[in-house]
Amino acid sequence: MSQTILIIAEHRNGEVRQVTFEAITAAQIVDASSINVVAIGHKLETVVETLSNYELDTIFTIDDQSLSHYIPEAYAHALGEVLEECQPTGIICGHTAIGRDLAPMLAATLDAGLISDATSIECVEEHIVITRPIYAGKAFEKKIFHQSPWVLTIRPNNVSASTLKGNVAQVKNISFKKPPSLQSTIIDIVQKTTGKIDLAEAKIVIAGGRGVKSAEGFKPLEQLADVLNGAVGASRGACDANYCDYSLQIGQTGKVVTPDLYIACGISGAIQHVAGMSQSRIIVAINKDPDAPIFSIADYGIVGDLFEIVPLLTEEFRKV
Ligand code: FAD
């Protein structure tokens, strides 16, 4: 069946987020005959410029000052006209804070099926087969869509980002007609993270748990992250103890990460934590308790004091 795909672009400060390019790959995997992207926000020039380098059919833009920040009703309303024009058979969003929020609304609007948190997509005998984790990552299930339209969210960092460059066929600017009543308005955004590297998209994550013992104890982890060009994450134990901000929390009730390398420092490996990182490609655990459950999912385990081991690793990686 020929697919017309609409991808909801994600961008921040004029930069297109990697998950958007991963969604383009997903659209290529389902052998879409038409791949379209919609960018919503304000001052979208650099976003359009970046996307224009890809072989897309249409880039839809909805540019309005009132869309500078994500407001669910406003974005869903703005997308109405694009859905009319594009008539997608499939919509792909990132499994991000925005995608997780928008996807069910779009599915309800279109009376479409929704599969969320895909970690892999393949085409088997004309069916799009989606693999997604269940039971907090303890098992995987495969699902298919029986009809169109469908809506899919993909977990960042699981599908390779598209590098298929080309030229976009057309850019269509859709004017935004404000809905009669908006129930919420964003007044201000308070940026809590250092924002060096987005935790959800980082290729290397150095995560600290209660074993880090204090906010000061996160310093060696930050140094290792700097040397490896990675991001710092944390267990809820560390967040609850006030050693770091909740924006760093990884797990069932925090962020889901799938980096190439995950180094867990002083984290016991509770199931709720593992739910957010078990799909990492290589897991290294540093823990002074040889029986810590984290070792059962680690590819490499170091039994010892993180305050000795982490600085040694930093020193060695600095030499590379
Ligand atoms: P601990 O379990 O206390 O482990 C600390 C570890 O550090 C120990 O293994 C210890 O041996 C080691 N250690 C101590 N000192 C050192 C040292 N010097 N060097 C090396 N190792 C050392 N947790 C999450 O992380 N994310 C979630 O999203 C999440 N969601 C939850 C949702 C619900 C509904 C519930 C009930 C719980 C949730 N939790 C979550 C909490 C989870 O159950 C654990 O309590 C938490 O993950 C424990 O954090 P921790 O591993 O840092 O601490």
Side-chain angles (χ1 to χ4, degrees), residues 174-190:
I174 307 283
S175 65
F176 177 57
K177 298 175 197 79
K178 274 192 194 136
S181 66
L182 268 184
Q183 288 177 357
S184 51
T185 318
I186 307 278
I187 296 164
D188 195 11
I189 298 275
V190 181

Side-chain angles (χ1 to χ4, degrees), residues 62-73:
I62 313 172
D63 192 326
D64 193 276
Q65 194 171 3
S66 61
L67 297 170
S68 301
H69 304 300
Y70 176 68
I71 303 173
E73 318 96 274

Side-chain angles (χ1 to χ4, degrees), residues 19-302:
V19 73
T20 304
F21 303 116
E22 294 168 358
I24 295 176
T25 303
Q28 288 158 355
I29 293 171
V30 305
D31 204 18
S33 53
S34 167
I35 305 178
N36 309 279
V37 175
V38 54
I40 312 172
H42 187 43
K43 296 190 176 155
L44 295 170
E45 293 79 7
T46 53
V47 170
V48 173
E49 199 182 310
T50 308
L51 291 170
S52 300
N53 295 320
Y54 287 78
E55 208 176 307
L56 301 167
D57 287 270
T58 307
I59 299 173
F60 293 97
T61 65
I62 313 172
D63 192 326
D64 193 276
Q65 194 171 3
S66 61
L67 297 170
S68 301
H69 304 300
Y70 176 68
I71 303 173
E73 318 96 274
Y75 272 49
H77 179 81
L79 279 167
E81 205 168 315
V82 176
L83 296 179
E84 276 292 312
E85 277 235 10
C86 181
Q87 294 288 324
T89 55
I91 296 179
I92 306 179
C93 311
H95 195 70
T96 57
I98 292 179
R100 278 144 81 150
D101 201 44
L102 259 185
M105 282 195 274
L106 292 174
T109 305
L110 293 171
D111 201 14
L114 167 67
I115 298 179
S116 64
D117 202 12
T119 52
S120 124
I121 301 136
E122 54 193 327
C123 261
V124 181
E125 293 168 5
E126 308 232 328
H127 285 298
I128 301 166
V129 181
I130 315 290
T131 306
R132 64 187 297 275
I134 50 171
Y135 304 126
K138 286 214 145 197
F140 289 86
E141 65 175 357
K142 286 189 188 288
K143 288 193 141 188
I144 58 169
F145 291 110
H146 285 288
Q147 62 186 50
S148 295
W150 47 260
V151 180
L152 174 69
T153 69
I154 58 166
R155 187 184 279 202
N157 257 348
N158 278 264
V159 176
S160 58
S162 174
T163 50
L164 194 75
K165 301 274 169 120
N167 282 316
V168 68
Q170 57 174 341
V171 177
K172 272 195 186 174
N173 302 314
I174 307 283
S175 65
F176 177 57
K177 298 175 197 79
K178 274 192 194 136
S181 66
L182 268 184
Q183 288 177 357
S184 51
T185 318
I186 307 278
I187 296 164
D188 195 11
I189 298 275
V190 181
Q191 197 90 27
K192 276 196 154 184
T193 51
T194 53
K196 277 187 210 161
I197 295 176
D198 189 314
L199 183 55
E201 292 185 348
K203 296 285 175 212
I204 297 179
V205 172
I206 319 295
R210 219 169 347 225
V212 165
K213 292 193 173 70
S214 65
E216 193 64 20
F218 263 91
K219 288 264 157 62
L221 277 62
E222 284 161 12
Q223 285 161 359
L224 179 57
D226 277 348
V227 170
L228 294 175
N229 202 22
V232 172
S235 71
R236 180 157 142 190
C239 301
D240 283 346
N242 227 1
Y243 302 163
C244 61
D245 193 83
Y246 278 102
S247 59
L248 300 189
Q249 185 186 321
I250 292 165
Q252 194 179 316
T253 45
K255 293 200 166 95
V256 174
V257 298
T258 322
D260 290 338
L261 174 63
Y262 188 90
I263 307 183
C265 311
I267 293 178
S268 60
I271 180 155
Q272 296 91 350
H273 182 76
V274 169
M277 46 65 76
S278 62
Q279 294 311 300
S280 305
R281 277 176 199 101
I282 295 175
I283 298 170
V284 177
I286 305 169
N287 198 305
K288 63 181 186 186
D289 173 7
D291 296 323
I294 191 82
F295 286 125
S296 66
I297 57 150
D299 298 283
Y300 300 95
I302 305 173

